[in-house]
Coordinates of all heavy atoms in Angstrom, one line a residue:
M1 N -28.2 0.4 23.2 CA -28.9 0.3 22.0 C -28.5 1.4 21.0 O -28.3 2.5 21.5 CB -30.4 0.3 22.3 CG -31.3 0.2 21.1 SD -32.3 -1.3 21.4 CE -33.0 -1.5 19.8
T2 N -28.4 1.1 19.8 CA -28.0 2.1 18.8 C -29.2 2.4 17.9 O -30.3 1.9 18.1 CB -26.8 1.6 17.9 OG1 -27.3 0.5 17.2 CG2 -25.7 1.2 18.8
Q3 N -29.0 3.1 16.8 CA -30.0 3.5 15.8 C -30.2 2.3 14.8 O -31.1 2.5 14.0 CB -29.6 4.7 15.1 CG -28.5 4.6 14.1 CD -27.1 4.5 14.7 OE1 -26.9 4.5 15.9 NE2 -26.1 4.5 13.8
F4 N -29.6 1.2 15.0 CA -29.7 0.1 14.0 C -31.0 -0.7 14.2 O -31.5 -0.7 15.3 CB -28.6 -0.9 14.2 CG -27.2 -0.4 13.9 CD1 -26.1 -0.7 14.6 CD2 -27.0 0.5 12.8 CE1 -24.8 -0.2 14.4 CE2 -25.7 1.0 12.5 CZ -24.6 0.6 13.3
L5 N -31.5 -1.3 13.2 CA -32.6 -2.2 13.3 C -32.1 -3.4 14.1 O -31.0 -3.7 14.2 CB -33.0 -2.7 11.9 CG -33.6 -1.6 11.0 CD1 -33.8 -2.2 9.6 CD2 -34.9 -1.1 11.6
P6 N -33.1 -4.1 14.8 CA -32.7 -5.2 15.6 C -31.8 -6.3 14.9 O -30.9 -6.8 15.5 CB -34.0 -5.8 16.1 CG -35.0 -4.7 16.0 CD -34.5 -3.8 14.9
I7 N -32.1 -6.6 13.7 CA -31.3 -7.6 13.0 C -29.8 -7.1 12.8 O -28.9 -7.9 12.9 CB -31.9 -8.1 11.7 CG1 -31.3 -9.4 11.2 CG2 -31.9 -7.0 10.6 CD1 -32.0 -10.1 10.1
I8 N -29.7 -5.9 12.5 CA -28.3 -5.3 12.3 C -27.7 -5.2 13.7 O -26.4 -5.3 13.8 CB -28.4 -3.9 11.6 CG1 -29.0 -4.1 10.2 CG2 -27.0 -3.3 11.5 CD1 -28.3 -5.0 9.3
E9 N -28.5 -4.9 14.7 CA -27.9 -4.8 16.1 C -27.3 -6.2 16.5 O -26.3 -6.2 17.1 CB -29.1 -4.5 17.0 CG -28.7 -4.0 18.4 CD -28.1 -2.7 18.4 OE1 -28.5 -1.8 17.7 OE2 -27.1 -2.5 19.1
E10 N -27.8 -7.3 16.0 CA -27.3 -8.6 16.3 C -25.8 -8.7 15.7 O -24.9 -9.2 16.4 CB -28.1 -9.7 15.7 CG -29.4 -9.9 16.3 CD -30.2 -11.0 15.6 OE1 -29.7 -11.9 14.9 OE2 -31.5 -10.9 15.7
L11 N -25.6 -8.2 14.5 CA -24.3 -8.2 13.9 C -23.4 -7.3 14.7 O -22.2 -7.6 15.0 CB -24.4 -7.8 12.5 CG -23.0 -7.7 11.7 CD1 -22.3 -9.1 11.8 CD2 -23.2 -7.2 10.3
A12 N -23.9 -6.1 15.0 CA -23.0 -5.1 15.8 C -22.6 -5.7 17.1 O -21.5 -5.4 17.6 CB -23.8 -3.8 15.9
D13 N -23.5 -6.5 17.7 CA -23.2 -7.0 19.1 C -22.5 -8.4 19.0 O -22.2 -8.9 20.1 CB -24.5 -7.2 19.9 CG -25.1 -5.8 20.2 OD1 -24.4 -4.8 20.2 OD2 -26.3 -5.8 20.5
A14 N -22.2 -8.9 17.9 CA -21.6 -10.2 17.8 C -20.2 -10.2 18.5 O -19.4 -9.3 18.2 CB -21.4 -10.6 16.3
P15 N -20.0 -11.2 19.4 CA -18.8 -11.2 20.2 C -17.5 -11.7 19.4 O -16.4 -11.4 19.9 CB -19.1 -12.2 21.3 CG -20.1 -13.1 20.7 CD -20.9 -12.3 19.7
D16 N -17.7 -12.4 18.3 CA -16.5 -12.9 17.6 C -16.8 -13.2 16.2 O -18.0 -13.0 15.7 CB -16.0 -14.2 18.3 CG -17.0 -15.3 18.5 OD1 -18.0 -15.3 17.7 OD2 -16.9 -16.1 19.4
H17 N -15.8 -13.6 15.4 CA -16.0 -13.9 14.0 C -16.9 -15.0 13.7 O -17.7 -15.0 12.7 CB -14.6 -14.1 13.3 CG -13.8 -12.9 13.2 ND1 -14.3 -11.6 13.3 CD2 -12.5 -12.8 12.9 CE1 -13.3 -10.8 13.1 NE2 -12.2 -11.4 12.9
A18 N -16.9 -16.0 14.6 CA -17.8 -17.2 14.4 C -19.3 -16.7 14.5 O -20.1 -17.1 13.7 CB -17.6 -18.3 15.5
A19 N -19.6 -15.8 15.4 CA -21.0 -15.3 15.5 C -21.3 -14.4 14.3 O -22.4 -14.4 13.8 CB -21.1 -14.5 16.8
R20 N -20.3 -13.6 13.9 CA -20.5 -12.8 12.7 C -20.8 -13.7 11.4 O -21.6 -13.4 10.6 CB -19.3 -11.9 12.4 CG -19.2 -10.8 13.4 CD -18.0 -9.9 13.2 NE -17.8 -9.1 14.4 CZ -17.0 -9.4 15.3 NH1 -16.2 -10.5 15.3 NH2 -16.9 -8.7 16.4
A21 N -20.0 -14.8 11.3 CA -20.2 -15.7 10.2 C -21.6 -16.3 10.3 O -22.3 -16.4 9.2 CB -19.1 -16.8 10.2
R22 N -22.0 -16.7 11.5 CA -23.4 -17.3 11.6 C -24.4 -16.3 11.2 O -25.4 -16.6 10.5 CB -23.6 -17.8 13.0 CG -22.9 -19.1 13.3 CD -23.3 -19.7 14.6 NE -23.0 -18.9 15.8 CZ -21.8 -18.8 16.4 NH1 -20.8 -19.6 16.0 NH2 -21.6 -18.1 17.4
W23 N -24.2 -15.0 11.6 CA -25.2 -14.0 11.2 C -25.2 -13.8 9.7 O -26.3 -13.7 9.1 CB -24.8 -12.6 11.8 CG -25.8 -11.6 11.6 CD1 -26.8 -11.2 12.4 CD2 -25.9 -10.7 10.5 NE1 -27.5 -10.2 11.9 CE2 -27.0 -9.8 10.7 CE3 -25.1 -10.5 9.3 CZ2 -27.4 -8.9 9.7 CZ3 -25.5 -9.6 8.4 CH2 -26.6 -8.8 8.6
L24 N -24.1 -13.8 9.0 CA -24.0 -13.7 7.6 C -24.8 -14.8 6.9 O -25.4 -14.6 5.9 CB -22.6 -13.6 7.1 CG -21.9 -12.3 7.3 CD1 -20.4 -12.5 7.0 CD2 -22.4 -11.2 6.4
L25 N -24.7 -16.0 7.4 CA -25.3 -17.2 6.8 C -26.8 -17.2 7.0 O -27.5 -17.7 6.1 CB -24.7 -18.4 7.3 CG -23.2 -18.7 6.9 CD1 -22.7 -19.9 7.7 CD2 -23.2 -19.0 5.4
R26 N -27.3 -16.5 8.0 CA -28.7 -16.6 8.3 C -29.5 -15.3 7.9 O -30.7 -15.3 7.9 CB -29.1 -17.0 9.7 CG -28.5 -16.9 10.8 CD -29.3 -17.2 12.1 NE -29.3 -15.9 12.9 CZ -28.3 -15.5 13.6 NH1 -27.3 -16.2 13.7 NH2 -28.5 -14.4 14.3
A27 N -28.8 -14.2 7.7 CA -29.5 -13.0 7.4 C -30.2 -13.1 6.1 O -29.7 -13.6 5.2 CB -28.5 -11.8 7.4
P28 N -31.4 -12.5 6.1 CA -32.2 -12.5 4.8 C -31.4 -11.8 3.8 O -30.8 -10.7 4.0 CB -33.5 -11.8 5.2 CG -33.6 -11.9 6.7 CD -32.2 -12.0 7.2
L29 N -31.5 -12.3 2.5 CA -30.7 -11.6 1.4 C -31.3 -10.2 1.2 O -30.5 -9.3 0.9 CB -30.9 -12.4 0.2 CG -30.2 -13.8 0.3 CD1 -30.4 -14.6 -1.0 CD2 -28.7 -13.7 0.5
A30 N -32.5 -10.0 1.5 CA -33.1 -8.6 1.4 C -32.4 -7.6 2.3 O -32.1 -6.5 2.0 CB -34.6 -8.6 1.6
V31 N -32.1 -8.1 3.5 CA -31.4 -7.3 4.5 C -30.0 -7.0 4.1 O -29.5 -5.9 4.2 CB -31.4 -7.9 5.9 CG1 -30.5 -7.2 6.9 CG2 -32.8 -8.0 6.5
I32 N -29.3 -8.0 3.5 CA -27.9 -7.9 3.0 C -27.9 -6.8 1.9 O -27.0 -6.0 1.9 CB -27.4 -9.2 2.6 CG1 -27.1 -10.1 3.8 CG2 -26.1 -9.1 1.7 CD1 -26.6 -11.5 3.5
I33 N -28.8 -6.9 1.0 CA -28.9 -5.8 -0.1 C -29.2 -4.5 0.5 O -28.5 -3.5 0.2 CB -29.9 -6.3 -1.2 CG1 -29.3 -7.4 -2.0 CG2 -30.2 -5.1 -2.1 CD1 -28.2 -7.0 -2.9
R34 N -30.3 -4.4 1.3 CA -30.8 -3.1 1.8 C -29.8 -2.4 2.7 O -29.6 -1.2 2.6 CB -32.1 -3.4 2.6 CG -32.7 -2.1 3.1 CD -33.8 -2.3 4.1 NE -33.3 -3.0 5.3 CZ -34.0 -3.8 6.1 NH1 -35.2 -4.1 5.8 NH2 -33.4 -4.3 7.1
D35 N -29.1 -3.2 3.6 CA -28.2 -2.6 4.6 C -26.7 -2.8 4.3 O -25.9 -2.9 5.2 CB -28.6 -3.1 6.0 CG -30.0 -2.7 6.4 OD1 -30.4 -1.5 6.1 OD2 -30.7 -3.5 6.9
Q36 N -26.4 -3.0 3.0 CA -25.0 -3.4 2.7 C -24.0 -2.4 3.2 O -22.9 -2.8 3.6 CB -24.9 -3.7 1.2 CG -25.2 -2.6 0.3 CD -25.1 -3.0 -1.2 OE1 -24.1 -3.3 -1.7 NE2 -26.3 -3.0 -1.8
V37 N -24.2 -1.1 3.2 CA -23.2 -0.1 3.6 C -23.0 -0.3 5.1 O -21.8 -0.4 5.5 CB -23.7 1.3 3.3 CG1 -22.8 2.3 3.9 CG2 -23.8 1.5 1.8
I38 N -24.0 -0.5 5.9 CA -23.8 -0.6 7.4 C -23.1 -2.0 7.7 O -22.2 -2.0 8.5 CB -25.2 -0.6 8.1 CG1 -25.8 0.8 7.9 CG2 -25.1 -0.9 9.6 CD1 -27.3 0.9 8.3
I39 N -23.6 -3.0 7.0 CA -23.0 -4.3 7.2 C -21.5 -4.3 6.9 O -20.7 -4.8 7.6 CB -23.7 -5.4 6.4 CG1 -25.2 -5.5 6.9 CG2 -23.0 -6.7 6.4 CD1 -26.1 -6.3 6.0
H40 N -21.1 -3.7 5.8 CA -19.7 -3.6 5.4 C -18.9 -2.8 6.4 O -17.8 -3.2 6.8 CB -19.6 -2.8 4.0 CG -18.2 -2.9 3.5 ND1 -17.3 -1.9 3.8 CD2 -17.6 -3.7 2.6 CE1 -16.1 -2.2 3.2 NE2 -16.3 -3.3 2.5
R41 N -19.5 -1.7 7.0 CA -18.8 -1.0 8.0 C -18.6 -1.8 9.3 O -17.5 -1.8 9.9 CB -19.6 0.3 8.4 CG -19.5 1.4 7.4 CD -20.2 2.6 7.9 NE -20.5 3.5 6.8 CZ -21.4 4.4 6.7 NH1 -22.3 4.5 7.7 NH2 -21.6 5.2 5.7
L42 N -19.6 -2.6 9.7 CA -19.5 -3.4 10.9 C -18.4 -4.5 10.7 O -17.6 -4.8 11.6 CB -20.8 -4.0 11.2 CG -21.9 -3.0 11.7 CD1 -23.2 -3.6 11.9 CD2 -21.4 -2.4 13.1
L43 N -18.4 -5.2 9.5 CA -17.5 -6.2 9.3 C -16.1 -5.6 9.2 O -15.1 -6.2 9.7 CB -17.8 -7.0 8.0 CG -19.1 -7.7 8.0 CD1 -19.4 -8.3 6.6 CD2 -19.1 -8.8 9.0
S44 N -15.9 -4.5 8.6 CA -14.6 -3.8 8.5 C -14.1 -3.4 9.9 O -12.9 -3.7 10.2 CB -14.7 -2.6 7.6 OG -14.9 -2.9 6.3
A45 N -15.0 -2.8 10.7 CA -14.6 -2.4 12.0 C -14.1 -3.6 12.9 O -13.2 -3.4 13.7 CB -15.7 -1.6 12.7
A46 N -14.7 -4.7 12.6 CA -14.4 -5.9 13.4 C -13.1 -6.6 12.8 O -12.6 -7.5 13.4 CB -15.5 -6.9 13.4
G47 N -12.6 -6.2 11.7 CA -11.5 -6.8 11.1 C -11.8 -8.2 10.5 O -10.9 -9.0 10.5
F48 N -13.0 -8.4 10.2 CA -13.4 -9.8 9.7 C -13.3 -9.8 8.2 O -14.2 -9.7 7.4 CB -14.9 -10.0 10.1 CG -15.4 -11.4 9.9 CD1 -14.5 -12.5 9.8 CD2 -16.7 -11.6 9.8 CE1 -15.0 -13.8 9.6 CE2 -17.2 -12.9 9.6 CZ -16.3 -14.0 9.5
H49 N -12.0 -10.1 7.7 CA -11.7 -10.1 6.3 C -12.4 -11.2 5.5 O -12.8 -11.0 4.4 CB -10.2 -10.1 6.2 CG -9.5 -9.0 6.9 ND1 -9.6 -7.7 6.5 CD2 -8.7 -9.0 8.0 CE1 -8.9 -7.0 7.3 NE2 -8.4 -7.7 8.3
E50 N -12.5 -12.4 6.1 CA -13.1 -13.5 5.5 C -14.6 -13.2 5.3 O -15.2 -13.5 4.3 CB -13.0 -14.8 6.2 CG -11.5 -15.3 6.4 CD -10.8 -14.7 7.6 OE1 -11.3 -13.7 8.2 OE2 -9.7 -15.1 7.8
G51 N -15.2 -12.5 6.3 CA -16.6 -12.1 6.2 C -16.8 -11.1 5.1 O -17.8 -11.1 4.4
L52 N -15.9 -10.2 5.0 CA -16.0 -9.1 3.9 C -15.9 -9.8 2.6 O -16.6 -9.4 1.6 CB -14.9 -8.1 4.1 CG -15.1 -7.1 5.2 CD1 -13.8 -6.3 5.5 CD2 -16.2 -6.1 4.8
A53 N -15.0 -10.8 2.4 CA -14.9 -11.5 1.1 C -16.2 -12.2 0.8 O -16.7 -12.1 -0.4 CB -13.7 -12.4 1.2
Y54 N -16.8 -12.9 1.8 CA -18.0 -13.6 1.5 C -19.1 -12.6 1.2 O -19.9 -12.7 0.3 CB -18.4 -14.4 2.7 CG -19.9 -14.9 2.6 CD1 -20.2 -15.9 1.7 CD2 -20.8 -14.3 3.4 CE1 -21.5 -16.3 1.6 CE2 -22.2 -14.7 3.3 CZ -22.5 -15.7 2.4 OH -23.8 -16.1 2.2
F55 N -19.2 -11.5 2.0 CA -20.2 -10.4 1.8 C -20.1 -9.8 0.4 O -21.1 -9.7 -0.3 CB -20.0 -9.4 2.8 CG -20.9 -8.2 2.8 CD1 -22.3 -8.5 3.1 CD2 -20.5 -7.0 2.5 CE1 -23.2 -7.4 3.0 CE2 -21.4 -5.9 2.4 CZ -22.8 -6.1 2.7
A56 N -18.9 -9.6 -0.1 CA -18.6 -9.0 -1.4 C -19.1 -10.0 -2.5 O -19.7 -9.6 -3.5 CB -17.2 -8.7 -1.6
A57 N -18.8 -11.3 -2.3 CA -19.2 -12.3 -3.3 C -20.8 -12.4 -3.3 O -21.4 -12.6 -4.4 CB -18.6 -13.7 -2.9
E58 N -21.4 -12.3 -2.2 CA -22.8 -12.4 -2.1 C -23.5 -11.2 -2.8 O -24.4 -11.4 -3.6 CB -23.3 -12.4 -0.6 CG -24.7 -12.9 -0.4 CD -25.0 -14.3 -0.6 OE1 -24.5 -15.2 0.1 OE2 -25.7 -14.6 -1.6
I59 N -23.0 -10.0 -2.5 CA -23.5 -8.8 -3.2 C -23.3 -8.9 -4.7 O -24.2 -8.6 -5.5 CB -22.8 -7.5 -2.6 CG1 -23.2 -7.3 -1.1 CG2 -23.2 -6.3 -3.4 CD1 -24.7 -7.0 -0.9
A60 N -22.1 -9.3 -5.1 CA -21.9 -9.5 -6.6 C -22.8 -10.4 -7.2 O -23.4 -10.2 -8.3 CB -20.4 -9.9 -6.8
A61 N -23.1 -11.6 -6.6 CA -24.0 -12.5 -7.1 C -25.5 -12.0 -7.2 O -26.2 -12.2 -8.1 CB -24.0 -13.8 -6.3
L62 N -25.8 -11.3 -6.1 CA -27.2 -10.8 -6.0 C -27.4 -9.6 -7.0 O -28.6 -9.4 -7.4 CB -27.5 -10.3 -4.6 CG -27.6 -11.5 -3.6 CD1 -27.7 -10.9 -2.2 CD2 -28.8 -12.3 -3.9
S63 N -26.4 -8.9 -7.3 CA -26.5 -7.8 -8.2 C -26.2 -8.0 -9.6 O -26.4 -7.1 -10.5 CB -25.5 -6.7 -7.7 OG -25.8 -6.4 -6.3
A64 N -25.7 -9.2 -10.0 CA -25.3 -9.5 -11.3 C -26.5 -9.6 -12.3 O -27.6 -10.0 -11.9 CB -24.6 -10.8 -11.4
T65 N -26.3 -9.2 -13.5 CA -27.3 -9.3 -14.6 C -27.3 -10.8 -15.0 O -26.3 -11.4 -15.2 CB -26.9 -8.5 -15.8 OG1 -26.8 -7.1 -15.3 CG2 -27.9 -8.6 -16.9
R66 N -28.5 -11.3 -15.0 CA -28.7 -12.7 -15.4 C -28.6 -12.9 -16.9 O -28.9 -11.9 -17.7 CB -30.0 -13.3 -14.9 CG -30.0 -13.3 -13.3 CD -31.3 -13.8 -12.8 NE -32.4 -12.8 -13.0 CZ -33.7 -13.1 -13.0 NH1 -34.1 -14.3 -12.8 NH2 -34.6 -12.2 -13.3
G67 N -28.3 -14.1 -17.4 CA -28.2 -14.4 -18.8 C -29.6 -14.4 -19.4 O -30.6 -14.3 -18.8
R68 N -29.6 -14.5 -20.7 CA -30.9 -14.6 -21.5 C -31.8 -15.7 -21.0 O -33.0 -15.6 -21.1 CB -30.6 -14.8 -23.0 CG -30.2 -13.5 -23.6 CD -30.3 -13.7 -25.1 NE -28.9 -13.6 -25.6 CZ -28.5 -13.8 -26.8 NH1 -29.4 -14.2 -27.7 NH2 -27.3 -13.7 -27.2
D69 N -31.2 -16.8 -20.5 CA -31.9 -17.9 -20.0 C -32.5 -17.7 -18.6 O -33.2 -18.5 -18.1 CB -31.1 -19.2 -20.1 CG -29.8 -19.0 -19.3 OD1 -29.6 -18.0 -18.6 OD2 -29.0 -20.0 -19.3
G70 N -32.2 -16.5 -18.0 CA -32.7 -16.2 -16.7 C -31.8 -16.8 -15.6 O -32.1 -16.6 -14.4
L71 N -30.8 -17.5 -15.9 CA -29.9 -18.1 -14.9 C -28.8 -17.1 -14.5 O -28.4 -16.2 -15.2 CB -29.2 -19.3 -15.5 CG -30.2 -20.5 -15.8 CD1 -29.4 -21.6 -16.5 CD2 -31.0 -20.9 -14.6
A72 N -28.4 -17.3 -13.2 CA -27.4 -16.4 -12.7 C -26.0 -16.7 -13.4 O -25.8 -17.8 -13.9 CB -27.2 -16.7 -11.2
P73 N -25.2 -15.7 -13.4 CA -23.9 -15.9 -14.1 C -22.9 -16.7 -13.2 O -23.3 -17.1 -12.1 CB -23.4 -14.4 -14.2 CG -24.0 -13.7 -13.1 CD -25.4 -14.4 -12.9
S74 N -21.7 -16.8 -13.6 CA -20.7 -17.6 -13.0 C -20.3 -17.0 -11.6 O -19.5 -17.6 -10.9 CB -19.4 -17.7 -13.8 OG -18.9 -16.4 -14.0
T75 N -20.8 -15.9 -11.2 CA -20.5 -15.3 -9.8 C -21.0 -16.3 -8.7 O -20.5 -16.2 -7.6 CB -21.1 -13.9 -9.6 OG1 -22.5 -14.1 -9.8 CG2 -20.6 -12.9 -10.5
L76 N -21.9 -17.2 -9.1 CA -22.4 -18.1 -8.1 C -21.3 -19.0 -7.6 O -21.3 -19.4 -6.4 CB -23.6 -18.9 -8.6 CG -24.8 -18.1 -8.8 CD1 -25.9 -19.1 -9.4 CD2 -25.3 -17.5 -7.6
R77 N -20.4 -19.4 -8.4 CA -19.3 -20.3 -8.0 C -18.4 -19.6 -7.0 O -18.1 -20.2 -6.0 CB -18.5 -20.7 -9.2 CG -17.5 -21.8 -8.9 CD -16.8 -22.3 -10.1 NE -17.7 -22.2 -11.3 CZ -17.3 -22.2 -12.6 NH1 -16.0 -22.3 -12.8 NH2 -18.1 -22.0 -13.6
T78 N -18.1 -18.4 -7.2 CA -17.3 -17.6 -6.3 C -18.0 -17.5 -4.9 O -17.4 -17.7 -3.9 CB -17.0 -16.2 -6.8 OG1 -16.4 -16.3 -8.1 CG2 -16.2 -15.4 -5.9
R79 N -19.3 -17.2 -5.0 CA -20.1 -17.1 -3.8 C -20.1 -18.4 -3.0 O -20.0 -18.5 -1.8 CB -21.5 -16.7 -4.1 CG -22.4 -16.6 -2.9 CD -23.7 -15.9 -3.2 NE -24.6 -16.9 -3.9 CZ -25.9 -16.6 -4.2 NH1 -26.4 -15.5 -3.9 NH2 -26.6 -17.5 -4.8
E80 N -20.2 -19.6 -3.7 CA -20.2 -20.8 -3.0 C -18.9 -21.2 -2.3 O -18.9 -21.7 -1.2 CB -20.6 -22.0 -4.0 CG -22.1 -21.9 -4.4 CD -23.1 -21.8 -3.3 OE1 -23.0 -22.6 -2.3 OE2 -23.9 -20.9 -3.3
Y81 N -17.8 -20.8 -3.0 CA -16.5 -21.0 -2.4 C -16.4 -20.2 -1.1 O -15.9 -20.6 -0.1 CB -15.3 -20.7 -3.3 CG -15.2 -21.8 -4.4 CD1 -15.0 -21.4 -5.7 CD2 -15.2 -23.1 -4.1 CE1 -14.8 -22.3 -6.7 CE2 -15.0 -24.1 -5.1 CZ -14.8 -23.7 -6.4 OH -14.7 -24.6 -7.4
A82 N -16.8 -18.9 -1.2 CA -16.7 -18.0 0.0 C -17.6 -18.5 1.1 O -17.3 -18.5 2.2 CB -17.1 -16.6 -0.5
R83 N -18.8 -19.1 0.7 CA -19.7 -19.6 1.7 C -19.2 -20.8 2.5 O -19.3 -20.9 3.7 CB -21.1 -20.0 1.0 CG -22.1 -20.5 2.1 CD -23.4 -20.8 1.4 NE -24.0 -19.5 1.0 CZ -24.7 -19.4 -0.1 NH1 -25.0 -20.4 -0.9 NH2 -25.3 -18.3 -0.4
I84 N -18.4 -21.6 1.8 CA -17.8 -22.8 2.5 C -16.9 -22.3 3.5 O -16.9 -22.8 4.7 CB -17.1 -23.7 1.4 CG1 -18.1 -24.4 0.5 CG2 -16.2 -24.7 2.2 CD1 -17.5 -25.1 -0.7
G85 N -16.0 -21.3 3.2 CA -15.1 -20.7 4.2 C -15.9 -20.1 5.4 O -15.5 -20.3 6.6
I86 N -16.9 -19.4 5.2 CA -17.7 -18.8 6.2 C -18.4 -19.9 7.1 O -18.5 -19.8 8.3 CB -18.8 -17.8 5.6 CG1 -18.1 -16.6 5.1 CG2 -19.8 -17.4 6.7 CD1 -17.3 -15.8 6.2
Q87 N -18.8 -21.0 6.5 CA -19.5 -22.1 7.2 C -18.5 -22.7 8.2 O -18.8 -23.0 9.3 CB -20.0 -23.1 6.3 CG -21.2 -22.7 5.5 CD -21.7 -23.6 4.4 OE1 -20.8 -24.4 3.9 NE2 -22.9 -23.6 4.1
I88 N -17.2 -22.8 7.8 CA -16.2 -23.4 8.6 C -15.9 -22.5 9.8 O -15.9 -22.9 11.0 CB -14.9 -23.6 7.8 CG1 -15.1 -24.7 6.8 CG2 -13.7 -23.9 8.8 CD1 -14.0 -24.9 5.8
I89 N -15.9 -21.2 9.6 CA -15.7 -20.2 10.6 C -16.9 -20.2 11.6 O -16.7 -20.2 12.8 CB -15.5 -18.8 10.1 CG1 -14.1 -18.7 9.3 CG2 -15.5 -17.7 11.2 CD1 -13.9 -17.5 8.5
A90 N -18.1 -20.3 11.0 CA -19.3 -20.3 11.8 C -19.3 -21.5 12.8 O -19.9 -21.4 13.9 CB -20.6 -20.3 10.9
R91 N -18.8 -22.6 12.4 CA -18.7 -23.8 13.2 C -17.5 -23.7 14.2 O -17.4 -24.6 15.0 CB -18.5 -25.0 12.4 CG -19.8 -25.4 11.6 CD -19.7 -26.8 11.0 NE -18.6 -26.9 10.1 CZ -18.6 -26.8 8.8 NH1 -19.7 -26.6 8.2 NH2 -17.5 -27.0 8.1
G92 N -16.7 -22.7 14.1 CA -15.6 -22.5 15.0 C -14.3 -23.2 14.5 O -13.3 -23.2 15.2
G93 N -14.4 -23.8 13.3 CA -13.2 -24.6 12.8 C -12.0 -23.7 12.6 O -10.9 -24.1 12.9
A94 N -12.2 -22.5 12.0 CA -11.0 -21.7 11.7 C -10.4 -21.2 13.0 O -9.2 -21.1 13.1 CB -11.4 -20.5 10.9
E95 N -11.2 -20.9 14.0 CA -10.7 -20.4 15.3 C -9.9 -21.5 16.0 O -8.8 -21.3 16.6 CB -11.8 -20.0 16.2 CG -12.5 -18.7 15.7 CD -11.6 -17.5 15.6 OE1 -10.8 -17.3 16.5 OE2 -11.7 -16.8 14.6
E96 N -10.4 -22.8 15.9 CA -9.7 -23.9 16.5 C -8.3 -24.1 15.9 O -7.3 -24.3 16.5 CB -10.5 -25.2 16.4 CG -11.7 -25.2 17.3 CD -12.7 -26.3 16.9 OE1 -12.2 -27.3 16.3 OE2 -13.8 -26.3 17.3
G97 N -8.3 -24.0 14.6 CA -7.0 -24.2 13.8 C -6.0 -23.1 14.2 O -4.8 -23.4 14.3
K98 N -6.5 -21.9 14.4 CA -5.6 -20.8 14.7 C -5.0 -21.1 16.1 O -3.8 -20.9 16.3 CB -6.4 -19.5 14.8 CG -5.5 -18.3 14.9 CD -6.4 -17.0 15.1 CE -7.3 -16.8 13.9 NZ -8.0 -15.5 14.0
H99 N -5.7 -21.6 17.1 CA -5.2 -21.8 18.4 C -4.2 -23.0 18.4 O -3.2 -23.0 19.0 CB -6.3 -22.1 19.4 CG -7.2 -20.9 19.6 ND1 -6.7 -19.7 20.1 CD2 -8.5 -20.8 19.5 CE1 -7.7 -18.9 20.2 NE2 -8.8 -19.5 19.8
A100 N -4.5 -24.0 17.6 CA -3.6 -25.2 17.5 C -2.3 -24.8 16.9 O -1.2 -25.3 17.3 CB -4.3 -26.3 16.6
A101 N -2.3 -23.9 15.8 CA -1.1 -23.5 15.2 C -0.2 -22.6 16.1 O 1.0 -22.6 16.1 CB -1.4 -22.7 13.9
A102 N -0.9 -21.9 17.0 CA -0.2 -21.0 17.9 C 0.5 -21.8 19.0 O 1.5 -21.3 19.6 CB -1.1 -19.9 18.5
G103 N -0.1 -22.9 19.4 CA 0.4 -23.7 20.5 C 1.6 -24.5 20.2 O 2.6 -24.7 20.2

């Protein structure tokens, strides 16, 4: 056990990128904002580049200034594209493709 909160401990203990992707998709946005430095370090240490890209898109969207109409800016489109990639990894699709290409 480390000094991390239990929810961050789950990410730290994730055995592979699919588990990390699932964590990113279900973690509360408040946790992502609050613990963004720790999350970034864990994703970097794991070499999860796709996860880092999704994480950066999520932080950008959550931190963006909204327009006069109160709507989010165009960063949402980037976040949605990144989320699609993470969803594929979470289902194990990217890992399966990697093994098929190697064989």
Side-chain angles (χ1 to χ4, degrees):
M1 181 121 192
T2 66
Q3 72 281 6
F4 298 140
L5 294 173
I7 194 164
I8 301 298
E9 196 70 40
E10 290 176 27
L11 177 61
D13 293 341
D16 54 28
H17 290 341
R20 289 180 195 93
R22 288 189 296 274
W23 186 94
L24 283 168
L25 290 170
R26 22 168 248 281
L29 296 176
V31 170
I32 287 177
I33 287 289
R34 181 191 67 208
D35 297 319
Q36 62 185 291
V37 172
I38 295 167
I39 295 166
H40 188 275
R41 284 184 196 154
L42 291 171
L43 296 173
S44 292
F48 189 24
H49 304 293
E50 297 88 350
L52 284 166
Y54 168 72
F55 181 68
E58 194 73 70
I59 293 295
L62 292 170
S63 303
T65 302
R66 295 180 290 160
R68 282 193 248 175
D69 56 4
L71 297 176
S74 63
T75 57
L76 290 180
R77 191 173 330 157
T78 303
R79 181 171 73 174
E80 290 308 312
Y81 287 134
R83 181 176 291 144
I84 291 168
I86 288 299
Q87 289 170 334
I88 292 168
I89 293 169
R91 289 190 304 262
E95 293 300 316
E96 291 170 16
K98 189 185 299 181
H99 295 302

